[in-house]
Amino acid sequence: MQAEDARYLKRRVRSSGLDVHPTERALVVQYEVEATILGELGDPMVGDRKECQKIIRLKSLNSHTDIASLARKVVEECRLIHPSKLLEVEQLLYYLQNRKNGNLDEEASISSIEEYVELLYEDIPEKVRGATLILHLARNPDNLEELMQNKTALGALARVLREDWKQSVDLATTIIYVFFHFSSFSQFHGLVTHYKMGALCMNIVEHELKRYDLWQEELQKKQKANILQKECEKSLKKYQSLLVKQEQLLKVALFLLLNLAEDTRTELKMRNKNIVSMLVKILERHGEEVLVLAVAFLKKLSIFLENKNDMAEMQVVQRLALLVPCDSLELQNTTLRLLLNLSFDTGLRSQMVQAGLIPKLSSLLADEGQRQLSMFILYHISVDDRFKSMFAYTDCIPQIMKMVFECGEDRMDTELISFCINLAANKRNAQVICEGNGLKMLMKRALKLKDTLMMKMIRNLSQHDGPTKSLFIDYVGDLAAQISEEEAEEFVIECLGTLANLTVADLDWELVLKEYHLVPYLKDRLKPAQQEDDEFVCQIVFVFYQMVFHQVTRDIIIRDTQAPAYLVDLMHDKNAEIRKVCDNTLDIVAECDEAWGRRIQSEKFRWHNSQWLEMVESQQLDSAGEPYVFGDDPGNGDPFLDSEDMILERPDLFYGAGTHRTGPGGGARGRGPRRIGGGALGFIPGSIPHHTEHSHLS
């Protein structure tokens, strides 16, 4: 980038999280700064994103502080905190106000570890102090090796947690934090497992979720009862304070479990203890950080079939749908990744549609940061024909078309064009896509770049009857011009398929065939050396099928080409679709031309009886050199069985002299190239027909 090209600097700040400081009376605001240098025309040239945090220290906070007033002041003075977060700020301040801060600022020393361990044998406040000092040491990774060697300290911490975690949330949170720092490094996972921290944390999480349900029930009962407003507010504040503490405990416990789940064997043990059920239950909560952890954990678990099935039984999609969209970018991104993992399952895709995710995800296509994940999920949903029509009633198609046109002449992402191909297979979607200059822009890109996948999308658009099909009349010449030796075969197939779909009455096919010399090209493609590609052959046959509907083109095909002969041979192709199209085409030819009708009928009769005729011939060959077992002489036998009168056993009746029977499957390609023209009509296309005195099909 040249310095003189830069004209503007665009700066955007997004708040991404709010939490309490672990040791000080302070709030920690997490935010992102996104800086973009814009060019003269306003287009972004260079961009950068940085994660930052701001610490708001609350020196005046004490037991007598008016929390509501302080929360309003914090929100007013800190622009990084949105006014909608006022209630969350109050909850965090209540937590800080009630947190035991007696000696949290005391500096810890690794040399005094024995003194800290002794505190773990005292009452709860002293245990909290001792655990907090050890936590200060564990925050420094350099101390972890030495702490690992101190079995007494770690054993005492594990014992206190097992015995007293129900008595003090602060104590449980602090001790789990110590082991969490160990779990952040894979080499210490054996140590954490040795003290059975994983199982203990799962028990704690399960217990806290039950407590949360009890709190909810108790609060609802008080709100329904006719109690004083003051009492109700007091109960609500107490509930909010307890909830903040519980969120901290759940957060660190889930983090520790998520770290340990790196080992699939440990993860399996967690599944056996219903970790999936607990995580889905946590999705009912409102704390952002706990939700992020729960969704991230579910995303990791979802790659295993058993876990995915458990999530499906617990209706996880309905709960995830409530998180899309949301204010937290991190939570939304993690939720979309989990939904993407789940969208590979047909049943879960159906649940996503029922939960109303199609319009929600479609709205996210406008956000560049969420666009790719949203499109991937929508693509998976669009695979199912039942849901294709639903996209027409959202903002999805305009957004997708915008993304297509923004690609210009650059290579388009495979996922994007695949999504477009799926959408184009629905009639209502096709109408929306073709609105305005939609079809014109698509056709221009496909023809200019020779884009096969784009042409496949256009081919899908052309298959729908109604006003959409008439829009293609303007592009018949452009499509016909692509059918040549110089173009890639895959691209030509899509162009042929598009032309074959254009069953429009006003279209002059005779002029198209003559001007672009299509008949010779199509005839050449049906020669043996060109018939290995089923799709290619099927499209060519389908083009002939469309042409025989019109008298002018039908007369040309019957009178001036050998196409009917090729089609007769393809009647018995091994590909069912080719056989079907050939039969339909030849039925029309037979109705309109008496001579060809007799030939087609004879070929069908020959094919129907070919197996019986082969059996008769084989019996003749077997009996030619054998003595008559029963002494019967054909000269003295039944006069009605005279060899001259056994006309039904004459193979030339059905095959014509000089031709070769293909037998069952003869018209099919098998593993070799198709054999064209030999068995049906007694001549090979392109050569002089030869007749014999035994030919019965002349």
Side-chain angles (χ1 to χ4, degrees):
M1 182 190 74
Q2 300 296 327
E4 59 271 13
D5 294 337
R7 293 292 183 270
Y8 310 101
L9 177 63
K10 182 179 179 181
R11 184 173 179 269
R12 182 164 56 179
V13 179
R14 292 180 179 178
S15 177
S16 58
L18 185 63
D19 200 356
V20 297
H21 195 280
T23 58
E24 301 180 21
R25 288 185 182 274
L27 296 176
V28 180
V29 182
Q30 307 286 346
Y31 64 96
E32 290 183 351
V33 177
E34 184 177 337
T36 306
I37 298 177
L38 304 179
E40 186 174 1
L41 300 178
D43 53 316
M45 302 179 68
V46 178
D48 190 18
R49 180 180 297 175
K50 184 179 181 181
E51 294 184 357
C52 308
Q53 71 175 20
K54 178 180 178 63
I55 298 177
I56 305 174
R57 289 181 170 80
L58 307 165
K59 297 181 179 180
S60 61
L61 180 63
N62 54 52
S63 58
H64 304 291
T65 301
D66 183 353
I67 296 298
S69 299
L70 180 59
R72 286 194 297 271
K73 184 178 180 181
V74 169
V75 172
E76 289 172 1
E77 294 184 0
C78 183
R79 296 182 179 180
L80 296 173
I81 304 177
H82 194 270
S84 62
K85 299 282 188 180
L86 178 61
L87 182 59
E88 184 178 351
V89 173
E90 286 189 21
Q91 293 177 350
L92 295 175
L93 292 179
Y94 276 122
Y95 173 72
L96 287 174
Q97 188 180 46
N98 295 295
R99 187 170 69 178
K100 304 299 181 181
N101 288 303
N103 293 301
L104 290 183
D105 294 331
E106 181 179 348
E107 185 175 351
S109 172
I110 192 69
S111 60
S112 304
I113 185 67
E114 300 300 332
E115 299 176 10
Y116 307 152
V117 172
E118 291 179 4
L119 293 174
L120 298 176
Y121 295 91
E122 304 295 335
D123 295 332
I124 295 297
E126 295 302 315
K127 289 179 179 178
V128 172
R129 179 188 168 210
T132 303
L133 291 168
I134 296 175
L135 173 60
H136 288 176
L137 296 175
R139 289 183 188 279
N140 185 354
D142 296 335
N143 293 330
L144 292 179
E145 288 282 356
E146 189 168 346
L147 286 174
M148 183 183 69
Q149 303 299 327
N150 195 324
K151 305 297 183 183
T152 304
L154 296 179
L157 287 170
R159 176 188 57 80
V160 171
L161 182 62
R162 281 194 302 271
E163 296 175 356
D164 299 331
W165 65 267
K166 290 184 180 180
Q167 300 183 37
S168 172
V169 175
D170 290 330
L171 179 61
T173 303
T174 305
I175 295 177
I176 295 176
Y177 253 122
V178 174
F179 286 97
F180 160 72
H181 286 292
F182 281 101
S183 71
S184 300
F185 301 92
S186 300
Q187 60 265 39
F188 296 131
H189 282 188
L191 171 72
V192 179
T193 305
H194 173 73
Y195 290 104
K196 300 182 179 179
M197 284 295 109
L200 192 52
C201 283
M202 291 199 63
N203 292 337
I204 292 173
V205 170
E206 184 178 15
H207 177 78
E208 292 300 324
L209 292 178
K210 292 179 180 178
R211 287 181 64 189
Y212 177 78
D213 291 337
L214 293 175
W215 292 346
Q216 293 275 57
E217 293 177 7
E218 184 179 349
L219 188 63
Q220 290 175 2
K221 288 180 181 179
K222 289 185 177 181
Q223 289 175 344
K224 291 179 180 179
N226 294 324
I227 60 175
L228 296 176
Q229 181 70 21
K230 187 175 181 180
E231 290 293 326
C232 185
E233 291 179 357
K234 183 178 179 181
S235 298
L236 182 60
K237 290 181 179 179
K238 179 181 178 182
Y239 165 75
Q240 291 173 345
S241 178
L242 293 172
L243 191 60
V244 171
K245 287 187 175 183
Q246 189 183 66
E247 295 273 325
Q248 293 288 326
L249 176 57
L250 289 175
K251 182 179 72 173
V252 66
L254 289 177
F255 232 137
L256 185 144
L257 291 172
L258 182 58
N259 289 342
L260 293 181
E262 289 181 2
D263 187 342
T264 54
R265 293 170 300 180
T266 304
E267 183 179 308
L268 180 59
K269 293 179 182 178
M270 294 181 187
R271 179 186 178 275
N272 294 336
K273 289 182 175 289
N274 296 321
I275 184 66
V276 176
S277 175
M278 297 180 196
L279 293 171
V280 174
K281 182 71 175 175
I282 290 174
L283 297 180
E284 299 176 359
R285 305 173 75 94
H286 303 288
E288 178 182 320
E289 294 187 348
V290 175
L291 283 174
V292 170
L293 277 171
V295 175
F297 210 149
L298 287 170
K299 178 176 72 70
K300 183 182 186 305
L301 295 171
S302 66
I303 63 176
F304 292 100
L305 178 64
E306 297 81 3
N307 297 331
K308 183 265 298 179
N309 292 338
D310 290 345
M311 295 178 201
E313 292 178 3
M314 297 169 194
Q315 305 294 315
V316 69
V317 170
Q318 282 74 5
R319 302 190 183 187
L320 292 173
L322 300 176
L323 303 178
V324 179
C326 62
D327 295 332
S328 171
L329 293 177
E330 184 180 7
L331 177 58
Q332 183 165 279
N333 187 272
T334 309
T335 303
L336 291 177
R337 292 182 182 277
L338 172 56
L339 286 171
L340 177 59
N341 284 1
L342 299 177
S343 67
F344 286 90
D345 182 270
T346 305
L348 289 172
R349 287 201 298 268
S350 179
Q351 292 183 24
M352 292 178 190
V353 175
Q354 295 172 5
L357 275 173
I358 289 182
K360 289 184 176 182
L361 294 171
S362 298
S363 65
L364 292 179
L365 292 174
D367 184 351
E368 188 175 352
Q370 312 297 327
R371 178 179 299 168
Q372 190 176 39
L373 288 172
S374 302
M375 184 181 66
F376 288 172
I377 301 170
L378 290 172
Y379 164 70
H380 284 168
I381 295 175
S382 71
V383 171
D384 196 320
D385 290 335
R386 296 175 298 167
F387 309 133
K388 283 186 171 71
S389 60
M390 298 182 181
F391 290 91
Y393 306 100
T394 68
D395 295 332
C396 179
I397 295 178
Q399 290 291 342
I400 289 295
M401 293 297 289
K402 181 181 178 183
M403 293 164 61
V404 169
F405 298 146
E406 286 176 351
C407 291
E409 297 186 5
D410 297 334
R411 182 182 179 276
M412 194 179 303
D413 290 339
T414 305
E415 294 81 8
L416 175 58
I417 187 58
S418 301
F419 187 25
C420 292
I421 292 171
N422 286 353
L423 293 177
N426 176 266
K427 183 176 181 179
R428 179 65 187 124
N429 290 343
Q431 294 174 356
V432 177
I433 291 172
C434 294
E435 286 178 355
N437 292 326
L439 179 59
K440 179 180 178 181
M441 299 296 291
L442 293 174
M443 193 69 73
K444 181 179 179 181
R445 175 187 170 89
L447 295 177
K448 183 176 181 179
L449 303 179
K450 309 299 181 185
D451 190 332
T452 302
L453 293 178
M454 180 65 72
M455 188 55 70
K456 185 180 289 290
M457 176 188 177
I458 294 172
R459 175 182 167 186
N460 279 359
L461 293 173
S462 68
Q463 70 183 337
H464 307 292
D465 295 327
T468 303
K469 187 165 290 190
S470 61
L471 298 176
F472 284 83
I473 295 179
D474 296 336
Y475 305 102
V476 170
D478 295 324
L479 291 169
Q482 308 305 312
I483 303 174
S484 64
E485 299 284 355
E486 291 75 18
E487 302 297 343
E489 184 175 290
E490 294 82 2
F491 185 69
V492 173
I493 287 175
E494 301 305 330
C495 294
L496 274 173
T498 305
L499 284 174
N501 288 333
L502 302 184
T503 53
V504 183
D506 299 334
L507 189 57
D508 189 348
W509 278 108
E510 180 183 12
L511 180 62
V512 174
L513 291 173
K514 289 182 177 179
E515 183 173 348
Y516 295 97
H517 310 288
L518 294 185
V519 174
Y521 176 86
L522 298 177
K523 183 181 68 174
D524 291 342
R525 297 282 78 72
L526 288 177
K527 290 181 179 178
Q530 304 290 335
Q531 294 179 37
E532 288 307 303
D533 190 332
D534 280 359
E535 175 70 11
F536 199 82
V537 171
C538 191
Q539 290 305 323
I540 292 177
V541 175
F542 191 66
V543 170
F544 281 120
Y545 172 70
Q546 297 294 343
M547 290 179 181
V548 297
F549 275 104
H550 307 279
Q551 183 177 354
V552 176
T553 52
R554 181 173 59 241
D555 292 343
I556 294 175
I557 291 173
I558 294 175
R559 184 179 65 250
D560 300 337
T561 74
Q562 296 170 349
Y566 302 143
L567 297 175
V568 166
D569 190 76
L570 292 174
M571 278 197 307
H572 316 304
D573 194 89
K574 68 178 182 180
N575 187 296
E577 287 299 322
I578 293 177
R579 293 198 305 271
K580 179 180 178 182
V581 180
C582 278
D583 287 342
N584 294 337
T585 307
L586 290 173
D587 286 344
I588 299 174
V589 172
E591 290 177 4
C592 301
D593 187 278
E594 185 176 349
W596 271 110
R598 290 194 301 270
R599 297 183 183 185
I600 294 169
Q601 185 177 11
S602 298
E603 167 62 15
K604 289 183 177 180
F605 182 76
R606 182 200 68 79
W607 176 259
H608 183 71
N609 293 279
S610 60
Q611 291 184 340
W612 178 77
L613 292 172
E614 280 195 343
M615 180 185 70
V616 172
E617 284 187 348
S618 64
Q619 288 179 349
Q620 287 180 338
L621 293 174
D622 291 341
S623 61
E626 295 181 3
Y628 298 100
V629 178
F630 300 103
D632 295 331
D633 188 338
N636 301 323
D638 193 331
F640 295 102
L641 298 179
D642 188 270
S643 59
E644 293 183 359
D645 295 321
M646 294 177 64
I647 191 168
L648 289 179
E649 296 188 11
R650 288 172 55 189
D652 59 332
L653 173 67
F654 301 103
Y655 301 123
T659 64
H660 301 279
R661 283 184 302 108
T662 58
R669 285 156 291 147
R671 294 187 180 179
R674 289 184 180 84
R675 186 188 58 77
I676 298 296
L681 304 174
F683 65 89
I684 299 175
S687 64
I688 300 176
H690 61 277
H691 302 275
T692 69
E693 59 181 359
H694 299 292
S695 176
H696 291 263
L697 293 179
S698 57

